[in-house]
């Protein structure tokens, strides 16, 4: 089955840029979503279709995807961005969404 | 404003059936797909399955034999049943609006914790 690989953790200082990767075979040909999840809360969609932002999501959040890697970029990181971030694509063979294991973003 | 709210027993005994309901407001359950996702403590998200109002369903192959989903358009609810549960089914269970093929899970419920224990 299709597997998505994320680093368990990423740390960044306030005001800097955080990059969270999601690796998968030929992920660039899929549609990648990113979800932010704060402790005790439900996931919130922050990026869809690789690089589109839902209304209400700051422009500081951006996404890209090419080859075997998708990347969520958070510019000018704030303390409030500290959360778990999970990528999601479609298992084309089985017609269902699959998730990466999640990355904990720590703001130093 | 689309809102989803999961409800159901927080404790289920091993070998019994887990039953959850997702009450939807702000949109009719007759439109869109509706997915169930779960998350064991400290672990990642796992998609369980989805249902469309016409009754079409699709489930995670790893759970398919134990999963049943239904839609009640009169109550604007979707439901999940998971049979023969074990401790490994202990998780927070979410329902989400599913846009379908290659679309995002745009709206999520707050989730409900289900513990499997005797």
């Amino acid at each position: 089955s299709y597997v998505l690989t994320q680093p368990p953790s990423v740390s960044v200082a306030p005001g800097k840029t955080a990059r969270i990767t999601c690796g998968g075979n030929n992920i660039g040909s899929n549609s990648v979503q990113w979800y932010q999840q704060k402790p005790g809360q439900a996931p919130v969609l922050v990026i869809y279709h690789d690089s589109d932002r839902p209304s209400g999501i700051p422009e500081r959040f951006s996404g890209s995807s090419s080859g075997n890697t998708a990347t969520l970029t958070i510019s000018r990181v704030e303390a409030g961005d500290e959360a778990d971030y999970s990528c999601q694509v479609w298992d084309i063979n089985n017609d269902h969404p699959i998730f990466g294991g999640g990355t904990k973003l720590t703001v130093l | 404003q689309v809102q989803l709210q999961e409800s159901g027993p927080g404790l289920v005994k091993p070998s019994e059936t887990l039953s959850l309901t997702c009450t939807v407001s702000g949109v009719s359950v007759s439109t869109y797909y509706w997915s169930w996702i779960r998350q064991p403590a400290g672990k990642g998200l796992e998609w369980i399955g989805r249902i469309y109002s016409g009754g079409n369903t699709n489930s995670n192959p790893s759970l398919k034999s134990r999963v049943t989903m239904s839609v009640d358009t009169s109550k604007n609810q979707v439901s999940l049943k998971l049979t023969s549960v074990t401790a490994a089914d202990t998780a927070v269970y979410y329902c989400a609006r599913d846009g379908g093929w290659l679309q995002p899970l745009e709206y999520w419920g707050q989730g409900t914790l289900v513990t499997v224990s005797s």
Side-chain angles (χ1 to χ4, degrees), chain B residues 32-100:
Chain B
Y32 298 98
Y33 288 89
W34 302 92
S35 270
W36 289 93
I37 304 100
R38 69 182 183 180
Q39 185 173 36
K43 296 188 177 181
L45 298 162
E46 179 184 32
W47 182 78
I48 299 169
R50 74 150 64 89
I51 186 167
Y52 194 70
S53 64
N56 295 331
T57 62
N58 186 18
S59 302
N60 191 319
S62 67
L63 300 169
K64 190 172 184 176
S65 64
R66 299 196 289 133
V67 170
T68 303
M69 291 169 288
S70 61
V71 171
D72 186 335
T73 55
S74 67
K75 295 181 179 179
N76 219 41
Q77 293 177 333
V78 295
S79 297
L80 169 72
K81 292 187 186 298
L82 181 66
T83 62
S84 304
V85 298
T86 70
D89 294 310
T90 294
V92 175
Y93 285 74
Y94 297 99
C95 60
R97 193 182 85 173
D98 180 342

Side-chain angles (χ1 to χ4, degrees), chain A residues 36-106:
Chain A
Q36 176 194 68
Q37 188 175 21
K38 297 182 178 179
Q41 298 184 20
V44 173
L45 179 69
V46 295
I47 293 289
Y48 66 101
H49 295 173
D50 297 346
S51 58
D52 291 336
R53 274 179 292 103
S55 61
I57 300 301
E59 292 183 4
R60 300 185 297 105
F61 288 79
S62 62
S64 63
S65 182
S66 178
N68 295 323
T69 303
T71 303
L72 171 69
T73 300
I74 308 173
S75 304
R76 303 181 300 281
V77 167
E78 302 173 356
D81 298 331
E82 189 163 281
D84 289 330
Y85 291 86
S86 297
C87 57
Q88 175 251 309
V89 299
W90 283 82
D91 183 326
I92 295 174
N93 291 329
N94 293 296
D95 186 23
H96 67 74
I98 59 172
F99 295 90
T103 298
K104 180 175 176 57
L105 175 67
T106 298

